[in-house]
Amino acid sequence: RIHEYFFQRGYSLAGEGRDQMAFESPRGTILKVLGIGEDEREQIVKRYVKFFEQNQQNPFYPRIYNSGNFEVDGETYFVYEMERVNYVANEEATLDYIEKLMSAVDRGQGAEYVQANPVPDEIGVKQLAGLLQATEHMMQALDGTAPLDLSAVENLGRRDNGHLAIVDPYSL
C-alpha cells in the first residue's frame, strides 16, 4: 500500500532496505519511509535525521527538507525527505581510501591513518579534513547509538558540485 500510495503521486522506487523504503520524488529529492521494521532501529534513524536537521549548515550532512509522521491506510510511518546525492562510483582509489579511513575512525585511529596514507586527489585534503570533523561531531552527538558504517559506498554520496555528504551513517 505504501508503494501504491507514492506511485500514484508520481514517485518512483529508489530502493528498499530492511527497515526503510526510498522513493524518488517528482521534484528530484529522495523520500525515505520508516515503519516497516524494528522500532529500535527506527529510533536510531530518527536520531540522526534530527541531528542532520539541526546541522543543515554543515556541507557534509544531507539537506533534510521535511520529516515527521505520516499515515497511510491507518498505519503510521516516519518519513523524511532529503536531497538527492550521487553514489561515489568509479573512483576506486577514493572508495578504498574512505573505506579504510572510516574503519580507522571507528577504532579511534582516523588521524593516524591520514598521516600514514596520502589523500587521493578526488577527495582533497581540505574536504577530507571536513569529512573527518563532521564524522567526529556526529559520533559525539549521537553517542554510540549504533555502529558507524561509513565504509559502505552507499552511505556516502557526492553532490552535483562534487562535495561529499554523509547520507546513512550507521549500520542497522
Side-chain angles (χ1 to χ4, degrees):
R1 65 181 166 227
I2 295 172
H3 289 126
E4 183 180 317
Y5 179 87
F6 287 106
F7 291 162
Q8 289 176 351
R9 287 157 179 78
Y11 289 72
S12 60
L13 188 63
E16 291 184 85
R18 179 171 45 185
D19 293 298
Q20 57 184 316
M21 290 180 252
F23 296 92
E24 185 162 354
S25 80
R27 295 176 301 284
T29 59
I30 298 295
L31 181 79
K32 294 195 176 183
V33 180
L34 282 82
I36 60 172
E38 293 181 17
D39 188 57
E40 182 180 341
R41 289 196 296 260
E42 291 174 20
Q43 293 305 317
I44 294 167
V45 174
K46 288 177 181 179
R47 283 189 71 193
Y48 74 68
V49 167
K50 182 178 179 180
F51 173 80
F52 287 155
E53 287 176 320
Q54 293 171 342
N55 291 279
Q56 291 290 280
Q57 76 284 358
N58 189 315
F60 295 96
Y61 304 139
R63 303 294 169 253
I64 305 291
Y65 304 113
N66 299 295
S67 70
N69 290 331
F70 182 75
E71 191 173 303
V72 176
D73 294 337
E75 293 288 328
T76 301
Y77 302 91
F78 178 76
V79 298
Y80 64 100
E81 185 177 11
M82 61 182 272
E83 71 178 309
R84 186 181 203 302
V85 295
N86 304 304
Y87 286 115
V88 178
N90 300 320
E91 299 179 36
E92 293 308 315
T94 299
L95 296 175
D96 186 56
Y97 189 88
I98 289 173
E99 180 177 358
K100 290 176 181 170
L101 170 62
M102 289 307 167
S103 179
V105 166
D106 206 23
R107 295 187 314 271
Q109 300 171 343
E112 292 87 350
Y113 181 84
V114 171
Q115 288 177 348
N117 296 279
V119 178
D121 291 339
E122 295 87 7
I123 301 173
V125 174
K126 183 178 178 184
Q127 190 165 180
L128 180 67
L131 179 63
L132 282 172
Q133 184 178 19
T135 301
E136 291 293 330
H137 178 229
M138 181 181 62
M139 288 170 61
Q140 289 172 0
L142 298 175
D143 196 29
T145 301
L148 186 66
D149 188 22
L150 295 181
S151 62
V153 61
E154 60 272 4
N155 296 338
L156 290 170
R158 279 200 190 274
R159 291 189 173 91
D160 288 338
N161 67 5
H163 199 282
L164 288 170
I166 299 167
V167 293
D168 191 4
Y170 289 100
S171 174
L172 304 175

